Amino acid sequence: MRKDYKIIELYDEIVVLRNIFDSVEIVEPMTERKVECLEHSITVTNENCFRSCKVEDRRKECLCRKIVSTGETYTMLQFKDGETYYIMCRAIRVKNKDYIMIITSKITKNIILSGGNGYTELVKSITKYNKSIYCDELTGAYNRRFVTENIDYILKKAEREGINVCVGCVDIDNFKKFNDTYGHAFGDTVLKTVTEAMRTVVRREDDYVIRLGGDEFVIIMQGIDKKTFVKKMNECCEIVSNLRLKTEKGDIAKICMSIGCASTIEDKLQTYEELTAKADEKLYISKKRGKNCAT
C-alpha cells in the first residue's frame, strides 16, 4: 500500500533506517534518478539509480516502475557479484508525487557465520526498526505515530470480535511545577518513572501505554469491562502516588496523576476521537475531585 509522507516525516524515517540497514535510497523511477531528501526539501538529482541498483536484470523490467503502478511492496534476496543482499522496495508519495524507497542490506556474512541464520538477523533488524518508529525515545512508551497508524485497526478488530476497548487519558498533576522548580532533566525522570509505574499494571500483550507528548499519556486496554478498567487506572494512580523522587536540591518530590476513562461498549462509542473526548471529560472530573484518581 502506497504511503503519503510529509518531507520531514520521510527525512526522519530515513535517518532511523540508515542506522539499521546498509543503504536507504529514494528514487524517481520514471526518470531513473536518485532523489535527495533533506529536512525541508526533496530534490531529484542527476545521478542514475541503475548504476547502484542491486536488482538483477533491471534493464529488462524495472521493478521500481512496476511498484509505482501497483503500489505494492516487494522484498527479496538478491545474489550479485558473490554477495547476498536483502532488498525491500516500496512505493511512497510526497507532495502528490510518486517515488520508491529502496532498502538494502548485505547479509552474506550473516548467512555464513550463523550457519544459515541470516534470516534471523534480518528479522531482528526489521523488529528493531519497527520498535524505533513506534517508540517514544525518552520513556520507551508507544508514541503518537503508533496511535495514528494502528488505532483504526485495533478498534475495528475489537468490534468484529465483540471485544470491549477501554481508553484512559492520563495527565501528571502539576507537572509544569517539576520542570520550573527542578529543571527539565528532573521532569524527564518523572516521565520515565511514571511510565514504568503504569507498565506494572498495563502489561498484557494487547495493552498499550502511549505518550502523546509532554506529560500527556493514553492507556488502551482490551477485553475488560469499564469498571475493571477504572479500578486498574486507580491502581496506577496509587502506585504513582507512592513514588518519592529525590531532586538535585535534596528535596523529595511526590508525584500524582489524574485519569479519565471511556469504553466502546459501556459508553456506546466507536471512534478513537469519541473515546478520547469522553475520557477527557472524565479527566476533568478527576481533577475536580482533587486529582490523584481515575474516573
Side-chain angles (χ1 to χ4, degrees):
M1 181 179 177
R2 200 184 315 273
K3 180 173 179 180
D4 288 70
Y5 282 90
K6 295 179 181 178
I7 293 176
I8 185 63
E9 291 175 341
L10 179 60
Y11 174 83
D12 288 343
E13 183 159 313
I14 291 171
V15 170
V16 172
L17 285 167
R18 283 178 174 162
N19 287 327
I20 300 171
F21 298 96
D22 294 339
S23 171
V24 181
E25 294 182 339
I26 308 298
V27 302
E28 205 286 288
M30 296 301 110
T31 60
E32 298 186 338
R33 303 289 180 181
K34 290 186 179 181
V35 175
E36 181 180 35
C37 181
L38 303 178
E39 287 185 81
H40 303 292
S41 65
I42 186 165
T43 307
V44 178
T45 71
N46 291 323
E47 186 177 359
N48 292 104
C49 58
F50 64 80
R51 294 185 183 278
S52 59
C53 186
K54 298 295 189 298
V55 181
E56 287 290 336
D57 299 324
R58 66 165 307 283
R59 284 291 189 181
K60 296 179 182 178
E61 182 181 3
C62 179
L63 180 60
C64 289
R65 289 182 181 177
K66 182 178 180 180
I67 293 171
V68 164
S69 64
T70 63
E72 297 177 355
T73 297
Y74 283 75
T75 59
M76 68 195 79
L77 292 179
Q78 184 70 64
F79 304 94
K80 187 174 183 179
D81 300 326
E83 301 286 2
T84 305
Y85 297 89
Y86 163 77
I87 303 171
M88 181 175 76
C89 305
R90 63 188 180 99
I92 63 173
R93 181 171 288 157
V94 183
K95 290 189 172 181
N96 296 318
K97 189 169 182 179
D98 293 322
Y99 301 95
I100 300 297
M101 177 185 286
I102 304 174
I103 299 170
T104 308
S105 265
K106 185 165 66 175
I107 62 173
T108 310
K109 291 184 178 180
N110 285 341
I111 294 175
I112 294 173
L113 293 176
S114 58
N117 286 332
Y119 174 77
T120 302
E121 297 302 316
L122 186 60
V123 169
K124 287 181 181 178
S125 292
I126 295 172
T127 301
K128 181 181 178 181
Y129 166 66
N130 286 339
K131 287 183 177 179
S132 69
I133 64 172
Y134 287 146
C135 181
D136 176 61
E137 186 176 355
L138 175 65
T139 64
Y142 287 98
N143 59 18
R144 184 184 292 272
R145 180 173 181 174
F146 171 81
V147 179
T148 302
E149 297 186 2
N150 292 279
I151 191 61
D152 285 345
Y153 169 77
I154 291 171
L155 291 174
K156 287 177 182 177
K157 181 174 181 290
E159 182 180 14
R160 187 168 61 250
E161 297 177 358
I163 295 174
N164 195 33
V165 178
C166 294
V167 170
C169 287
V170 183
D171 184 72
I172 301 175
D173 298 324
N174 306 313
F175 178 73
K176 186 176 183 297
K177 178 182 175 182
F178 292 125
N179 278 334
D180 293 344
T181 305
Y182 304 114
H184 289 283
F186 182 75
D188 289 348
T189 299
V190 171
L191 292 171
K192 289 186 283 188
T193 304
V194 167
T195 300
E196 291 171 3
M198 290 189 289
R199 279 177 161 174
T200 63
V201 177
V202 187
R203 59 177 182 268
R204 298 177 307 170
E205 184 178 355
D206 290 333
D207 295 343
Y208 307 104
V209 176
I210 304 150
R211 184 186 176 210
L212 299 180
D215 64 320
E216 296 181 17
F217 291 80
V218 165
I219 290 175
I220 299 175
M221 298 185 74
Q222 304 175 63
I224 62 173
D225 59 78
K226 187 178 179 182
K227 183 177 180 180
T228 303
F229 180 69
V230 173
K231 182 178 178 181
K232 285 185 175 293
M233 294 304 95
N234 273 306
E235 187 179 337
C236 285
C237 292
E238 183 178 358
I239 292 171
V240 169
S241 68
N242 288 328
L243 295 172
R244 298 293 183 271
L245 295 180
K246 189 174 182 179
T247 71
E248 288 186 356
K249 296 181 179 181
D251 300 334
I252 303 298
K254 181 180 178 180
I255 310 166
C256 60
M257 64 186 188
S258 302
I259 305 177
C261 305
S263 75
T264 53
I265 292 179
E266 287 90 346
D267 293 315
K268 296 182 171 65
L269 303 173
Q270 293 184 320
T271 68
Y272 177 68
E273 290 74 20
E274 291 173 339
L275 285 162
T276 52
K278 172 63 77 173
D280 274 334
E281 290 177 13
K282 297 296 184 179
L283 174 60
Y284 178 75
I285 293 173
S286 295
K287 297 281 189 181
K288 294 283 285 184
R289 289 173 55 192
K291 304 178 181 179
N292 192 31
C293 66
T295 304

